[in-house]
Coordinates of all heavy atoms in Angstrom, one line a residue:
G22 N 233.2 -5.7 253.4 CA 233.7 -7.0 253.2 C 234.9 -7.2 252.3 O 235.1 -8.3 251.8
H23 N 235.6 -6.1 252.0 CA 236.8 -6.2 251.1 C 238.0 -5.8 251.9 O 238.0 -5.1 252.9 CB 236.6 -5.3 249.9 CG 235.4 -5.6 249.0 ND1 235.4 -6.7 248.3 CD2 234.3 -4.9 248.8 CE1 234.2 -6.7 247.6 NE2 233.5 -5.6 247.9
K24 N 239.2 -6.3 251.3 CA 240.5 -5.8 251.8 C 240.8 -4.5 251.3 O 241.6 -3.7 251.9 CB 241.6 -6.8 251.4 CG 241.5 -8.2 252.1 CD 242.0 -8.1 253.6 CE 242.0 -9.4 254.2 NZ 242.2 -9.3 255.7
I25 N 240.3 -4.1 250.2 CA 240.5 -2.8 249.6 C 239.2 -2.0 249.6 O 238.1 -2.5 249.3 CB 241.1 -2.8 248.2 CG1 240.2 -3.7 247.2 CG2 242.5 -3.3 248.2 CD1 240.7 -3.8 245.8
D26 N 239.3 -0.8 250.0 CA 238.0 0.1 250.2 C 238.0 1.2 249.1 O 237.0 1.4 248.4 CB 238.0 0.7 251.5 CG 237.8 -0.3 252.6 OD1 237.1 -1.3 252.4 OD2 238.3 -0.1 253.8
D27 N 239.1 1.9 249.0 CA 239.1 3.1 248.1 C 238.6 2.8 246.7 O 237.9 3.6 246.2 CB 240.6 3.6 248.0 CG 241.2 3.9 249.3 OD1 240.8 3.4 250.4 OD2 242.2 4.7 249.4
E28 N 239.1 1.7 246.1 CA 238.9 1.5 244.7 C 237.4 1.3 244.4 O 236.9 1.6 243.3 CB 239.6 0.2 244.2 CG 241.1 0.5 244.1 CD 241.9 0.1 245.4 OE1 241.3 0.2 246.4 OE2 243.1 -0.3 245.2
F29 N 236.6 0.7 245.4 CA 235.2 0.5 245.1 C 234.4 1.8 245.3 O 233.2 1.9 245.0 CB 234.7 -0.5 246.1 CG 235.0 -1.9 245.8 CD1 236.2 -2.5 246.3 CD2 234.3 -2.7 244.9 CE1 236.6 -3.8 246.0 CE2 234.6 -4.0 244.6 CZ 235.8 -4.6 245.2
F30 N 235.0 2.9 245.8 CA 234.3 4.1 246.1 C 234.7 5.3 245.2 O 233.8 5.9 244.7 CB 234.7 4.4 247.6 CG 234.1 5.7 248.1 CD1 232.8 5.6 248.7 CD2 234.7 6.9 248.0 CE1 232.2 6.8 249.2 CE2 234.2 8.1 248.5 CZ 232.9 8.0 249.1
T31 N 236.0 5.5 245.0 CA 236.4 6.8 244.4 C 235.9 7.0 243.0 O 235.4 8.1 242.7 CB 237.9 6.9 244.4 OG1 238.4 6.5 245.7 CG2 238.4 8.3 244.1
Y32 N 235.9 5.9 242.2 CA 235.5 6.1 240.8 C 234.1 6.5 240.7 O 233.6 7.2 239.8 CB 235.9 4.9 239.9 CG 235.0 3.7 240.1 CD1 233.9 3.5 239.3 CD2 235.3 2.7 241.1 CE1 233.0 2.4 239.5 CE2 234.5 1.6 241.2 CZ 233.4 1.5 240.5 OH 232.6 0.4 240.6
Q33 N 233.2 6.0 241.7 CA 231.8 6.3 241.6 C 231.6 7.7 241.9 O 230.7 8.4 241.3 CB 231.1 5.4 242.6 CG 231.1 3.9 242.3 CD 230.2 3.1 243.2 OE1 229.0 3.4 243.3 NE2 230.8 2.1 243.9
A34 N 232.3 8.3 242.8 CA 232.2 9.7 243.1 C 232.7 10.6 241.9 O 232.0 11.6 241.6 CB 233.0 10.1 244.4
I35 N 233.8 10.1 241.3 CA 234.3 10.9 240.1 C 233.2 10.9 239.0 O 233.1 11.9 238.3 CB 235.6 10.3 239.6 CG1 236.7 10.3 240.7 CG2 236.1 11.0 238.4 CD1 237.1 11.7 241.2
L36 N 232.5 9.7 238.8 CA 231.5 9.6 237.8 C 230.4 10.6 238.0 O 229.7 11.0 237.0 CB 230.9 8.2 237.7 CG 231.8 7.1 237.0 CD1 231.2 5.8 237.2 CD2 232.0 7.4 235.5
K37 N 230.2 11.0 239.3 CA 229.1 12.0 239.6 C 229.6 13.4 239.5 O 228.8 14.4 239.7 CB 228.5 11.7 240.9 CG 227.9 10.3 241.0 CD 227.2 10.0 242.3 CE 225.8 10.7 242.3 NZ 224.8 9.9 243.1
A38 N 230.9 13.6 239.4 CA 231.5 15.0 239.3 C 231.4 15.5 237.9 O 231.2 14.8 236.9 CB 232.9 15.0 239.8
E39 N 231.7 16.8 237.7 CA 231.9 17.4 236.4 C 233.3 17.8 236.2 O 233.9 17.7 235.1 CB 230.9 18.6 236.2 CG 229.5 18.2 236.0 CD 228.6 19.3 235.7 OE1 229.1 20.4 235.1 OE2 227.4 19.2 235.9
K40 N 233.9 18.3 237.3 CA 235.3 18.8 237.2 C 236.1 18.3 238.3 O 235.7 18.3 239.5 CB 235.4 20.3 237.1 CG 236.7 20.9 236.8 CD 236.8 22.4 237.0 CE 236.1 23.2 236.0 NZ 236.4 24.6 236.2
V41 N 237.4 17.8 238.1 CA 238.3 17.4 239.1 C 239.6 18.2 238.9 O 240.1 18.4 237.8 CB 238.7 15.9 238.9 CG1 239.7 15.4 239.9 CG2 237.4 15.0 238.9
V42 N 240.1 18.8 240.0 CA 241.3 19.6 240.0 C 242.4 18.9 240.8 O 242.2 18.4 241.9 CB 241.0 21.0 240.6 CG1 242.3 21.8 240.7 CG2 240.0 21.7 239.8
V43 N 243.6 18.8 240.1 CA 244.7 18.2 240.8 C 245.8 19.2 241.0 O 246.0 20.1 240.1 CB 245.3 17.0 239.9 CG1 246.5 16.4 240.5 CG2 244.2 16.0 239.6
F44 N 246.5 19.2 242.1 CA 247.6 20.1 242.3 C 248.8 19.4 242.9 O 248.6 18.6 243.8 CB 247.2 21.5 243.0 CG 246.7 21.4 244.4 CD1 247.6 21.6 245.4 CD2 245.4 21.1 244.7 CE1 247.2 21.5 246.7 CE2 245.0 21.0 246.0 CZ 245.8 21.2 247.0
D45 N 249.9 19.9 242.5 CA 251.2 19.2 243.0 C 251.7 19.8 244.2 O 252.8 20.5 244.2 CB 252.2 19.2 241.8 CG 253.5 18.4 242.2 OD1 253.4 17.6 243.1 OD2 254.5 18.6 241.5
E46 N 251.1 19.6 245.3 CA 251.6 20.0 246.6 C 251.3 18.9 247.6 O 250.2 18.4 247.8 CB 251.0 21.3 247.1 CG 251.6 21.9 248.3 CD 251.1 23.3 248.6 OE1 250.5 23.9 247.8 OE2 251.4 23.7 249.8
S47 N 252.4 18.4 248.3 CA 252.2 17.2 249.2 C 251.7 17.7 250.5 O 252.4 18.2 251.4 CB 253.6 16.5 249.4 OG 254.0 16.0 248.2
L48 N 250.4 17.5 250.7 CA 249.7 17.9 252.0 C 249.4 16.8 252.9 O 248.9 17.0 254.0 CB 248.4 18.7 251.6 CG 248.6 19.9 250.7 CD1 247.3 20.5 250.4 CD2 249.5 21.0 251.4
Y49 N 249.6 15.6 252.4 CA 249.2 14.4 253.2 C 250.4 13.5 253.4 O 251.1 13.3 252.5 CB 248.1 13.6 252.5 CG 247.4 12.5 253.3 CD1 246.1 12.8 253.9 CD2 247.9 11.3 253.5 CE1 245.5 11.8 254.7 CE2 247.3 10.3 254.2 CZ 246.1 10.6 254.8 OH 245.5 9.6 255.6
W50 N 250.6 13.0 254.6 CA 251.7 12.1 254.9 C 251.1 10.7 255.1 O 250.4 10.4 256.1 CB 252.4 12.5 256.2 CG 253.1 13.8 256.1 CD1 252.6 15.0 255.8 CD2 254.5 14.0 256.4 NE1 253.6 16.0 255.8 CE2 254.8 15.4 256.2 CE3 255.6 13.1 256.8 CZ2 256.1 15.9 256.4 CZ3 256.8 13.7 257.0 CH2 257.1 15.0 256.7
Y51 N 251.4 9.8 254.2 CA 250.9 8.4 254.2 C 251.9 7.5 254.9 O 253.0 7.3 254.3 CB 250.5 7.9 252.8 CG 250.0 6.5 252.8 CD1 248.7 6.2 253.2 CD2 250.8 5.4 252.5 CE1 248.2 4.9 253.3 CE2 250.3 4.1 252.5 CZ 249.0 3.9 252.9 OH 248.6 2.6 252.9
R52 N 251.6 7.0 256.1 CA 252.6 6.2 256.8 C 252.7 4.8 256.2 O 251.7 4.1 256.1 CB 252.1 6.1 258.3 CG 253.2 5.5 259.2 CD 252.6 5.2 260.6 NE 252.1 6.4 261.3 CZ 252.9 7.2 262.1 NH1 254.2 6.9 262.3 NH2 252.4 8.3 262.7
M53 N 253.9 4.5 255.8 CA 254.2 3.2 255.2 C 254.3 2.1 256.3 O 255.4 2.1 257.0 CB 255.4 3.3 254.3 CG 255.3 4.3 253.2 SD 254.0 4.0 252.0 CE 254.7 2.6 251.2
R54 N 253.3 1.3 256.4 CA 253.4 0.3 257.5 C 253.5 -1.1 256.8 O 253.2 -1.3 255.7 CB 252.1 0.3 258.3 CG 252.0 1.6 259.1 CD 250.7 1.7 259.9 NE 250.6 0.7 260.9 CZ 249.5 0.4 261.7 NH1 248.4 1.1 261.4 NH2 249.6 -0.5 262.6
K55 N 254.0 -2.1 257.7 CA 254.1 -3.4 257.2 C 252.7 -3.9 256.8 O 251.8 -4.0 257.7 CB 254.7 -4.3 258.2 CG 256.2 -4.0 258.5 CD 256.7 -5.0 259.5 CE 258.2 -4.6 259.7 NZ 258.9 -5.5 260.7
S56 N 252.5 -4.2 255.6 CA 251.1 -4.5 255.1 C 250.7 -6.0 255.4 O 251.5 -6.8 255.8 CB 251.0 -4.3 253.6 OG 251.8 -5.3 252.9
G57 N 249.4 -6.3 255.2 CA 248.9 -7.6 255.3 C 249.6 -8.6 254.4 O 249.7 -9.8 254.7
V58 N 250.1 -8.1 253.2 CA 250.8 -9.0 252.3 C 252.0 -9.6 253.0 O 252.3 -10.8 253.0 CB 251.3 -8.3 251.1 CG1 252.2 -9.1 250.3 CG2 250.0 -7.9 250.2
M59 N 252.7 -8.7 253.8 CA 253.9 -9.1 254.5 C 253.6 -10.0 255.7 O 254.4 -10.9 256.0 CB 254.7 -7.9 254.9 CG 255.2 -7.0 253.8 SD 255.7 -5.5 254.4 CE 256.0 -4.6 252.9
L60 N 252.4 -9.8 256.2 CA 252.1 -10.5 257.5 C 251.4 -11.8 257.2 O 251.5 -12.8 258.0 CB 251.3 -9.6 258.4 CG 251.9 -8.3 258.8 CD1 251.0 -7.5 259.6 CD2 253.2 -8.6 259.6
S61 N 250.6 -11.9 256.1 CA 249.8 -13.1 256.0 C 249.9 -13.7 254.6 O 249.0 -14.5 254.2 CB 248.4 -12.9 256.4 OG 247.9 -11.7 255.8
G62 N 250.8 -13.3 253.8 CA 251.1 -14.0 252.5 C 250.0 -14.4 251.6 O 249.2 -13.6 251.2
T63 N 249.9 -15.7 251.3 CA 249.0 -16.2 250.2 C 247.5 -15.9 250.5 O 246.8 -15.5 249.6 CB 249.2 -17.7 250.1 OG1 250.6 -17.9 249.9 CG2 248.4 -18.2 248.9
Q64 N 247.1 -16.0 251.7 CA 245.7 -15.8 252.1 C 245.3 -14.4 251.8 O 244.3 -14.1 251.2 CB 245.4 -16.2 253.5 CG 244.0 -16.0 253.9 CD 243.8 -16.2 255.4 OE1 244.7 -16.5 256.2 NE2 242.6 -16.0 255.9

């Protein structure tokens, strides 16, 4: 029931982890699309 999903989920998983590893290699291509902000403004 939210417009945003990731934020309600990820931190809860991190709280259950002990170790998080980050590495600087771009393996994912995030397609930049016209967002709902651009399409439906104030609402």
Side-chain angles (χ1 to χ4, degrees):
H23 298 292
K24 288 284 183 195
I25 52 177
D26 293 329
D27 304 21
E28 288 93 332
F29 285 91
F30 180 88
T31 314
Y32 74 91
Q33 294 188 56
I35 301 295
L36 283 172
K37 297 185 82 144
E39 287 187 23
K40 189 194 287 187
V41 179
V42 173
V43 178
F44 64 97
D45 184 17
E46 190 171 343
S47 295
L48 301 175
Y49 193 98
W50 292 59
Y51 180 76
R52 191 187 298 270
M53 303 297 289
R54 296 178 65 188
K55 291 181 179 176
S56 70
V58 169
M59 296 166 187
L60 300 176
S61 50
T63 307
Q64 183 187 352

